Every structure is written in structure tokens, then in C-alpha cells.
Amino acid sequence: MLVLWLLLMGVGGSLAAGLADVQDNDPEAWLPSSAQSTKAVQLAEEYFADKDTSTAVIVYAREGGLTPADLSRIDGDRARLADKVAVGDVTPTVVSDDKVAAFVSVPLRTSPSDNAVLTDKVKEAGEITADGAPAGLDIKITGEAGSITDFADVYSGMDGALLGIALAVAAVLLLLTYRSPVLWLIPLITVGLASQVASGVVYLLAKHAGLMVNGQSAYVLMVLSVGVGTDYALLLVSRYREELHRHEDRHTAMALAVNGSLPALAASAATVTIASLCLVFGSMNSTQGLGPVVAIGVVLVFFAMTSLLPALLVILGRWVFWPAKPRVTAGYDPNSGQEHGTWAKIAAVVGRRPRAVWVGTALVLGVMALGITSVQTGQTQAEQFTGKVDSVTGQQVMAKHFPAGSSAPADVYVRDAGAATATAVVGKVPGVSSVNTQAAKGGWTHLTAVLRDAPDSAAAKDTIGDIRSALSDASGPAADAVVGGQSAVALDVSEAQGDEEMLLIPLILAVVLVMLLVLLRAAIASVVLLASVVLSFGAAVGTASLLFHALDHGKIDRGLVLFGFIFLVALGIDYTIFLMTRAKEEVRLRGHRDGILTAVTVTGGVITSAGVILAATFCVLAAIPTVSALQQGLLVAVGILLDTFLVRSLLVPALALDLGPRFWRPGLTPEQTEPRKPVQNRTEEPSTV
């Protein structure tokens, strides 16, 4: 097994390095084929030779006003840019009315399979304009090309850095958990190998099968692999340690440990995998691509943790647990209060007053969920970075001295016969500053509409909606006009995200419910557990929203809702699955009440450690200097901690006790849930639920 994984690593590791080269962070590439902005791109490519091009807007500004030398420099830059980097005509210089700023637009070559094609050209354009520029002349590159380059720079090199930081965080927490200078290394080595193999598989699918990969899905793959892999390792190692106290032969102990933990691990991996694959039914390409990426990571981590990790532990023997090496102990009971003192006390509290516990916990979660009222969507580009970048600064200069939409006019494509009507109709729409004819080819006319508001603002999106409505009500060919551009992309993305929420959230809930029914074979338990996860998600969103406001990043991208839902429901249910799988096993041995309390006692430490580690690894996303990554990490971390400390520890076991043995119907008969005599030691092979 070790040789097999080393061979996989040899191939996958070499391919993983190329993952950044196949990422596509162009927002237009994420859109559904039915979106107007997508159709606009297709028309531009077919009739106006705009295929694989992106526009960089170079903004010049000087406090006190541009000098003749500045204007001469800009003219010289236009010539050099046209000669060295542009793939089309560089626009004439546009000077603001106050003579403080000017800009030129430069079309640059892009490649759907290699971000470096565009980013290298943007950087070359920056070098051309900065070399020998007059002192005091401020030069920024904005527009679509500038924005894409800033995002590419943010994510450049982050794959390896994120993996390193996540592994470091997991290492510290594992060291504290195991209190062994050796044992913590084994899960991390396994996770690292699995993560690299997963990245290699994703690279191959992106390169040769058209899988959409962007910066978000790439870093989610890294963090998820470490977090989920560490969770699985904690559960397996905990079970292995128990069996080493019962069996001298470590091969037998590991076989029993794998057999005992496999149902929970398989159910967890299957739930996350199938729930993630539901994303392929989303309308946006970025959503469709994220699902397979997550599924690949989880599946490979699962196989690594149930094959490579056991192999390494068996090969290395008991000494990896040093200094607390587990030895065969007569009468050993892993479920005793002495083994799990703190969690035995928590279980006792839940057992004494289960109704008061679950009602109190539900009320706390409900109050936390009220924070949802503070959620604000409509994040602009300026609000997407935690620091300053040229594309945002340049856009701010544009908004100050020109109509704010000058850097990214709306594109209108209309049949020649309807061009005059479309020009008149669009020009009358409030929010439109001017309309100009750019070109006419192949029976189509390309119009540009400069908006009064910044291209990524809510007002600009409203104006695009008004333009589309006005054109659809127009007479003749103008009614079939197509509206695209940066603002149109933002509008179509927002609408697509709303459609995805309506479709995917119920679908994912249905998948999780089915998985719980298959695992537990208990209808009441499955519905209760699903409801607890939904309540936990609401509390996580409400709490995280208040936290975002406290950090001065109150607005969220609407896609955060679906992102948080998929991960919090799929991952949050993990800990409940771990608990209830063990509970069902113990109920068969001890009866309903003692089985539930024993499961809380024996799984408390390992599941809590797993939750803390997974939450900490998602917090690593804060290392990426984008607000969306920070918000994603904090939202998932808050949700996982709520699932770990409130839902799994208090709410679920208290509800199970209050409902009584009917909680398990029809999976377990009343006879199977009746109280039993105390179980002191269990040496037989654990049941597979």
C-alpha cells in the first residue's frame, strides 16, 4: 500500500505544480451559456474579432492638473503600447474636463487555459508606462484586464503557501491532541500525499476534460483536504488506540479499528462527495466546476486515510504513540469515565435534564440566527480586497474625474437595421451617460454605453436591467439586442446565484436526508439531525455576519450563501454522523439511554479535536488578501465550531434522549433499545452499522 501511494505521489505531485496554470479567473468564463453577457461575448468573438482579448484601462493623474509633458508622455505610451503589447487599436487619449486625469484603453491577448498570457502583458504594459514617467504622474492599470491580473497576483503561489500553513496549523493542534512528538507526523504526511495526488487529478481534468478551475476551487481543495483528512485520521487513530489496549497483535488491532470506524468515515465521505456533486446542476460554470473538485479531494483523502494511514501505523508499530504507548490491559473499558472525565460529566448533565438542554441550546442557536437580518449583499470590486490594488485605485480615479462607468462601458450588440433605434432607446435610459457606435460588421453593430455609476455597483447593475427592459420593449430588430460588459456580467452572476440557491439548497438537503436514512435506517433520527444542521447553519450565518461587520467587511458576495451552505451542511453533518454511528453501536449493547450517553462520552474528545482542527484550517483562508476568502473561512469555521460544541455535544444527544427509543425507528426494534447490563469490556469485532 505504501509503494502504491508513493507511485501515485510521484505522478500526482509533478502534475499538481501545474494547477495554477489551468485556473481561469475571468468572470465571463464562469457564466451560464444562457446569460445575455455570455451571448455578448460570443457575438464579439464571432463578428468583431474580440476572441481571447481583454481590455486594460491605463489611467494617468496628477494633482494640480496634467502638464504638456504629461500629455506628450501619454501619446508616446500609446505608440509603444500599440507596438509591443496591444492586439488591436489603442484608443485615443481621453482627458477629463478638469484636466487632472486621462486614460487610454488597450486590448490585450488572453488565453482561456493560461492566465500568464494576460497577466504578463498587463505587467509589460505597466513597465512600459512606468519607465521614465515624469515625476508626480500617477499611473494605474484598471479595467477588466487590470482586475483579472490583480486577482491572479493574489492567488499566485497561494496553493503551496496555503497547504503549508494549513499543515502547520494542523500539526500544532495534533501535537496538542496526541501529546506525542512522533504520532502527529503520520496523519500529516498522509494528508500531504493525498492532497498532492488530488491536485494532480484536478489538473488533468482541467487540462484535458474541460473542468472549470478557478482560484477559489483550488484553495478550497487544499484546505478541505487537510481539514477533512485530519478529521478522519483522528477518528481512526482513536479507534486504533482502543484496540491496541485489547489486542497484542497490531495488525488485528488495526483491522478491527478500520472495521469499526469505516462506516462513519464512508458515510461522511459519501455525504460530502454526493452533496458536492450536486453543484454540477448549478447554472454557473464556476459552481459546476467546484463540485467535482471538492468531490475528488474528499474521495482521495478518504482512500488515503483508510489505506495509507493504516499501513503506515502498522509498519511503524506501537512506538509512534510514545511516550504513552498503548499496551494490552485486562478489563480495559474505553468508555469509562476515567478515560473521558470531562465528557463523562457533560454526558451526565445532558442525561439529567435532556429537555432543558435541547430547548436551551435551540434558543441560543435561534438568537444567533437573528444576525441574518444584518446580511448585506452587493460587494463591489473595491470591497473584494483586504488591501489596495491598482485596479481598484485606478477605478476610483476614473469615478472621480470621469463618468464612473468609463473604464468598462456596457456593450450592446444589435442588428444593423436596429442600430439607430437601439442608440436612441439606450441613450434615454437614466444612468446612461453616453452611447457611441464602435463598429459594424457582418450585419451587426457594436454600441458602447458609458454608465454614470461604477461598473461593479448596484446602481450600474440596475441600469443594465433598465437598458435590457427598454430594448426588449423597442420596435423592430432593436428588441433582439444583446447587452454585455462588466456590469452585465455582475448582474447575470447575481441572478444566476439566486437561481442556484433555489435549486441547489433543497437538492443538497434531500441528499443529506437520504444519506442519513441509508446510514441510520431511522426516519425520526434523520429528520431531527437534518433540522439541527439547518438551525446550526442559520446561527452560523447570523453570527458570521455580525463578525463581518465588526471587521469592517459587512457586505458579502451572494455566492457566499451557497458556499457556506454546501460546506456547513455537508461537513457539519460529519460530526453528527460520527456521534450517531457510535451511538447506534452502543445502543445495541447498552440500550438507548446508556448507549447515547456512552457515545457522547467516548467520542467527545476526538470529535471536538476534529472540529477545532477543521475550523482552524478554514481560518487559514484569511491568509489570502481577498475579503471573500476571509469571509468564507470565518463562516465555515464559526459553523463547524457551533456543530462541534453545541449541536453534536448538547442538542442532538438531548433530543435523542427526550424522544426516547422511538428516535431509532424503524431501524432498531424496541427490544434492541432496552437497557442492558453494564458492558465492561468488548473484545469481539465491532459491529458495522
Side-chain angles (χ1 to χ4, degrees), residues 175 178-185 319-324:
L175 188 59
Y178 290 138
R179 297 183 178 86
S180 167
V182 180
L183 182 58
W184 64 273
L185 277 170
W319 71 270
V320 296
F321 290 91
W322 184 88

Side-chain angles (χ1 to χ4, degrees), residues 476-636:
D480 298 322
V482 175
V483 182
Q486 183 177 336
S487 301
V489 168
L491 175 62
D492 290 339
V493 165
S494 179
E495 292 179 346
Q497 288 170 338
D499 294 339
E500 287 180 338
E501 290 170 11
M502 298 296 292
L503 170 67
L504 296 177
I505 287 178
L507 180 60
I508 292 169
L509 286 175
V511 166
V512 172
L513 179 60
V514 170
M515 295 302 298
L516 288 172
L517 288 169
V518 171
L519 173 67
L520 301 176
R521 299 181 181 88
I524 294 177
S526 299
V527 172
V528 167
L529 297 180
L530 187 66
S532 71
V533 172
V534 173
L535 177 59
S536 175
F537 172 71
V541 173
T543 304
S545 178
L546 296 176
L547 184 57
F548 299 157
H549 282 281
L551 295 173
D552 199 27
H553 297 305
K555 288 187 179 180
I556 67 169
D557 178 80
R558 187 167 182 175
L560 179 66
V561 176
L562 182 59
F563 178 93
F565 186 83
I566 177 67
F567 286 105
L568 288 180
V569 171
L571 295 177
I573 202 69
D574 272 7
Y575 303 119
T576 302
I577 287 175
F578 293 163
L579 170 67
M580 300 317 295
T581 303
R582 186 62 178 256
K584 190 172 183 180
E585 183 181 330
E586 297 295 340
V587 165
R588 284 173 166 162
L589 294 170
R590 305 168 186 273
H592 176 69
R593 176 182 171 81
D594 288 347
I596 293 291
L597 296 179
T598 298
V600 173
T601 300
V602 74
T603 63
V606 64
I607 294 179
T608 299
S609 297
V612 170
I613 290 175
L614 186 58
T617 53
F618 266 92
C619 283
V620 167
L621 294 182
I624 301 175
T626 63
V627 173
S628 61
L630 171 67
Q631 292 175 335
Q632 288 166 358
L634 290 180
L635 174 59
V636 175

Side-chain angles (χ1 to χ4, degrees), residues 20-21 23 109 111 113-122 152:
D21 296 332
Q23 295 177 22
R109 177 67 61 208
S111 170
S113 61
D114 189 355
N115 286 330
V117 172
L118 176 62
T119 58
D120 288 348
K121 288 299 181 183
V122 171

Side-chain angles (χ1 to χ4, degrees), residues 268-326:
S268 167
T271 301
V272 178
T273 298
I274 297 176
S276 300
L277 289 176
C278 289
L279 296 182
V280 301
F281 296 106
S283 56
M284 292 179 59
N285 292 330
S286 57
T287 303
Q288 295 171 358
L290 179 61
V293 170
V294 171
I296 290 168
V298 172
V299 168
L300 284 170
V301 164
F302 166 75
F303 281 117
M305 291 302 158
T306 54
S307 59
L308 176 59
L309 179 61
L312 288 172
L313 290 172
V314 169
I315 290 171
L316 295 173
R318 295 174 186 260
W319 71 270
V320 296
F321 290 91
W322 184 88
K325 292 188 291 184

